[in-house]
Amino acid sequence: MNLSSNRQFQTRQWWRSAVIYQVYPRSFFDSNGDGIGDLQGIIHKLDYIAALNVDAVWISPFYKSPMKDFGYDIEDYCAVDPIFGTIEDFKLLTKEAKKRGLKILIDQVWNHTSNLHPWFIESRSSRNNAKADWYVWADPKPDGTPPSNWLATFGGSAWTWDEQRQQYYLHNFLAEQPDLNWYNPEVKEAILAVAKFWLDLGVDGFRLDVVNFFLHDHTLQDNPSRPDNVPLPDGAGANDPFFSQLNLYNFCQPEIFSLLEDIRQLMDSYPETTTLAEISSAEDGILTASEYVRGSNRLHMAYNSSLMSDEPLSHEKMYQLITRVEKLFADGVICWTGGTHDFPRLKSRWRKFQIDDEFSHEAFDHMFAALLLSLRGSCCIYQGDELGLTQANVPYEKMQDPFGLAGYPSILGRDGSRTPIPWQKLAANAGFTQANEPWLPISEEHLHHAVDVQETFSNSLLNKYRRLIKWRKQQPALLWGNLTLLDTAEPLLGFIRKSEEQQILCLFNLSPVPLHYDLSTYPKCTAADEVDFQNRQYDSTVEIPGYGVFFGCLNEQH
């Protein structure tokens, strides 16, 4: 493929190296003073998102919903909930985003609906109605207990008895979120019609919620207990009873791949659209994620929890992780993700380990941003991580998350990573809302990281993200190049990104102690980061400060 043809391919497959910004609408910006963020609020702040230089915006659910799980329990897939605005607001949002060169990805929750969805209301009405088989129904065991021992991720049994139908229905999450039966081809066609509705409105793709949960084992086998010597999946809480079992039969079934082909076929009929798959709770998240994007007839991108665990970010961890990704994602695309609305803030997860002073906190944040944006594949930034927000301490009386309320105090839930964005340090409610109070309280600590504070300092984390992402777009090696790990020792992580036009040496000090790296094997190594464009050449060694980064261009162009 010549260079011109390669450029055209890269434009069509923009998602292979996209930087995606996740917006959680409830907490982004409130435009109407009710304490809850909305679609007009996103429109008001599109210039802020565009200034980050990202390629796309992933918007969490804004559909009509009773809000038992804050929008992930959908009552109407094709309607906007009045809390967030109207369908006209969404059309305007899409239009305004495209003016700014931003693509729009929207959350699609296809594993389950709300129990108030008309499909479920009809399905539960009898055993012989037109939608009787649209959800997962099963008779009890002979002793009257649930059909299997499967657990719901939000606690308790994954089965709830329905008096009207005299059967159990499956719900991998809340009882108010019954699972759709994807083995029924009518369900598949109905969901693809939903996808087509939004694609026809001009969206650029979908983030697919818990896509590995779509299918269950037909025979409803019991899950075995987790042996003591079997580690928890990445991102799993140590006190979460859901992981007391090896979840072998309630999700991650091999029949899913034919469904993925049907989804990809639809997406391919809308050129340059994409899918981002969430792989959740899998025993091997990296392997599972790679399987969902393998080849050209499955999904486009997938992310998992490999960077969302409570472990130090060490050379050994990253080296092993990148090695596996490079092997398993030969043709598929991983979306590197350090945080989402479902996990504690990344800054709080990692700073409790080897970071012991505020300077190191800041340096670590800057280093991680550079690492995230240097790895091969796409990446996702969760709103507020570009500000360095910590996990908020939400008191029990203010908690909203059903997961946290059910598991309290062992499990604190997701409220702490979902608190509103602090736009202005000195404004009431940090400039998020004109209501008396927002739907979740804003941490006092977050005020010091407010947008208006960081915009005044060139070396703030916010401005670091802006420069890094802009610089990344100018580096062919980072966008399209391959990745070769270097045999560096702890705590230095190193790799080379190489494209037809360029080679970049990437070094990351994962400790607070300065170190030196010998550059004698790289003649004519020139500094090439987003700040240093002075063509400073290194002939021997480079000093990398604690939690520091070095980018070196190994040829003329940078």
Side-chain angles (χ1 to χ4, degrees):
M1 183 182 294
N2 61 41
L3 196 58
S4 176
S5 298
N6 194 34
R7 292 292 189 202
Q8 293 175 7
F9 171 80
Q10 292 163 2
T11 300
R12 292 194 303 270
Q13 300 206 356
W14 59 271
W15 40 268
R16 286 188 169 273
S17 60
V19 180
I20 303 166
Y21 185 75
Q22 183 196 354
V23 168
Y24 190 69
R26 296 183 70 91
S27 297
F28 197 59
F29 184 70
D30 172 23
S31 71
N32 62 3
D34 64 358
I36 300 172
D38 45 51
L39 295 179
Q40 281 288 340
I42 301 174
I43 294 171
H44 288 326
K45 296 298 184 180
L46 278 176
D47 286 340
Y48 170 81
I49 299 174
L52 282 168
N53 300 300
V54 298
D55 301 289
V57 186
W58 151 25
I59 305 175
S60 292
F62 50 84
Y63 315 106
K64 184 179 180 183
S65 166
M67 299 295 166
K68 296 295 184 180
D69 190 24
F70 297 104
Y72 284 90
D73 51 319
I74 296 175
E75 186 178 342
D76 187 336
Y77 282 111
C78 298
V80 174
D81 194 280
I83 288 175
F84 298 116
T86 66
I87 195 72
E88 295 305 317
D89 291 329
F90 179 78
K91 292 177 181 178
L92 179 61
L93 169 57
T94 303
K95 179 181 178 181
E96 291 297 320
K98 292 185 185 304
K99 285 182 182 178
R100 293 163 174 81
L102 295 169
K103 297 182 184 295
I104 294 292
L105 309 183
I106 59 174
D107 235 314
Q108 292 288 276
V109 188
W110 293 346
N111 177 72
H112 49 266
T113 70
S114 165
N115 61 341
L116 299 184
H117 196 292
W119 296 348
F120 186 71
I121 292 172
E122 182 174 357
S123 185
R124 77 191 310 180
S125 65
S126 69
R127 298 193 186 191
N128 57 5
N129 64 80
K131 291 184 172 56
D133 194 37
W134 279 43
Y135 292 80
V136 183
W137 297 94
D139 292 324
K141 290 180 177 179
D143 62 359
T145 57
S148 71
N149 70 343
W150 301 347
L151 299 175
T153 59
F154 287 174
S157 173
W159 298 95
T160 287
W161 177 256
D162 186 76
E163 285 290 340
Q164 187 171 5
R165 182 157 157 154
Q166 291 291 293
Q167 280 186 306
Y168 282 96
Y169 65 88
L170 178 68
H171 55 90
N172 276 297
F173 299 90
L174 294 175
E176 294 88 352
Q177 294 171 295
D179 274 35
L180 286 162
N181 178 19
W182 274 87
Y183 288 110
N184 184 338
E186 293 180 348
V187 170
K188 180 187 70 176
E189 293 306 316
I191 290 297
L192 292 180
V194 169
K196 192 174 186 303
F197 172 86
W198 291 106
L199 289 166
D200 287 341
L201 285 183
V203 302
D204 299 288
F206 305 122
R207 179 264 189 181
L208 300 181
D209 186 63
V210 294
V211 66
N212 56 313
F213 277 70
F214 283 12
L215 293 178
H216 60 285
D217 171 51
H218 260 312
T219 65
L220 308 184
Q221 295 184 68
D222 280 352
N223 283 327
S225 297
R226 181 177 299 276
D228 292 339
N229 63 345
V230 175
L232 296 171
D234 288 330
N239 299 320
D240 191 341
F242 179 71
F243 297 102
S244 64
Q245 298 179 351
L246 288 176
N247 292 293
L248 303 182
Y249 303 114
N250 41 340
F251 56 92
C252 284
Q253 300 304 297
E255 296 89 342
I256 185 68
F257 298 119
S258 63
L259 290 179
L260 302 184
E261 292 175 6
D262 293 329
I263 295 170
R264 181 59 179 264
Q265 185 177 11
L266 173 64
M267 301 305 293
D268 285 348
S269 68
Y270 290 81
E272 298 182 31
T273 61
T274 193
T275 46
L276 171 60
E278 177 195 24
I279 302 301
S280 176
S281 307
E283 291 296 323
D284 187 337
I286 291 290
L287 175 61
T288 304
S290 71
E291 293 171 338
Y292 279 60
V293 297
R294 188 167 299 161
S296 60
N297 61 348
R298 295 184 183 178
L299 302 178
H300 301 77
M301 303 177 283
Y303 76 88
N304 63 89
S305 308
S306 57
L307 286 179
M308 301 184 208
S309 59
D310 287 335
E311 297 177 15
L313 196 69
S314 65
H315 168 273
E316 180 182 8
K317 174 184 173 68
M318 290 305 303
Y319 191 93
Q320 292 178 357
L321 177 57
I322 295 170
T323 298
R324 291 200 74 206
V325 166
E326 288 299 305
K327 177 182 178 180
L328 294 172
F329 285 80
D331 56 351
V333 175
I334 188 171
C335 183
W336 292 96
T337 309
T340 72
H341 63 295
D342 284 329
F343 291 88
R345 287 282 183 186
L346 66 88
K347 183 165 184 170
S348 293
R349 291 201 312 271
W350 287 327
R351 80 175 188 178
K352 64 186 178 184
F353 288 106
Q354 68 263 46
I355 307 173
D356 55 8
D357 61 75
E358 194 57 40
F359 176 80
S360 293
H361 284 300
E362 192 72 18
F364 182 92
D365 293 341
H366 286 239
M367 181 272 295
F368 179 76
L371 174 59
L372 184 70
L373 291 160
S374 302
L375 293 166
R376 187 175 69 87
S378 61
C379 66
C380 184
I381 301 164
Y382 174 51
Q383 67 176 46
D385 283 349
E386 79 279 13
L387 301 175
L389 299 187
T390 54
Q391 181 78 352
N393 181 20
V394 179
Y396 180 79
E397 63 272 14
K398 296 286 188 179
M399 286 172 60
Q400 303 284 340
D401 181 21
F403 178 53
L405 290 169
Y408 186 85
S410 299
I411 299 171
L412 296 180
R414 302 163 296 181
D415 288 327
S417 62
R418 297 179 174 185
T419 57
I421 293 295
W423 294 101
Q424 299 169 283
K425 179 180 180 179
L426 300 179
N429 298 314
F432 165 73
T433 180
Q434 294 183 8
N436 290 332
E437 61 180 9
W439 77 285
L440 278 176
I442 298 172
S443 170
E444 185 75 21
E445 184 179 1
H446 289 183
L447 300 180
H448 304 289
H449 301 276
V451 172
D452 67 339
V453 172
Q454 297 207 34
E455 286 188 325
T456 63
F457 294 100
S458 62
N459 291 327
S460 69
L461 183 61
L462 171 60
N463 283 318
K464 179 74 169 183
Y465 268 100
R466 289 170 170 172
R467 288 194 303 270
L468 274 170
I469 299 170
K470 181 179 180 180
W471 172 74
R472 182 182 193 265
K473 287 184 174 182
Q474 300 166 352
Q475 313 307 316
L478 296 185
L479 292 177
W480 310 109
N482 58 25
L483 185 150
T484 302
L485 278 164
L486 301 177
D487 189 21
T488 54
E490 192 82 54
L492 183 68
L493 176 70
F495 51 81
I496 292 176
R497 298 293 310 277
K498 180 179 180 180
S499 67
E500 294 178 8
E501 309 99 316
Q502 182 187 45
Q503 293 185 67
I504 294 182
L505 171 67
C506 307
L507 301 172
F508 306 89
N509 183 355
L510 303 181
S511 82
V513 180
L515 52 81
H516 292 80
Y517 184 75
D518 182 7
L519 292 172
S520 60
T521 57
Y522 304 107
K524 298 183 180 179
C525 180
T526 305
D529 64 36
E530 86 287 359
V531 174
D532 189 350
F533 288 104
Q534 304 306 311
N535 294 318
R536 183 153 52 103
Q537 188 164 313
Y538 293 82
D539 295 320
S540 54
T541 62
V542 59
E543 179 178 315
I544 308 174
Y547 299 117
V549 176
F550 175 79
F551 290 115
C553 193
L554 303 183
N555 53 13
E556 294 294 325
Q557 180 182 352
H558 66 275

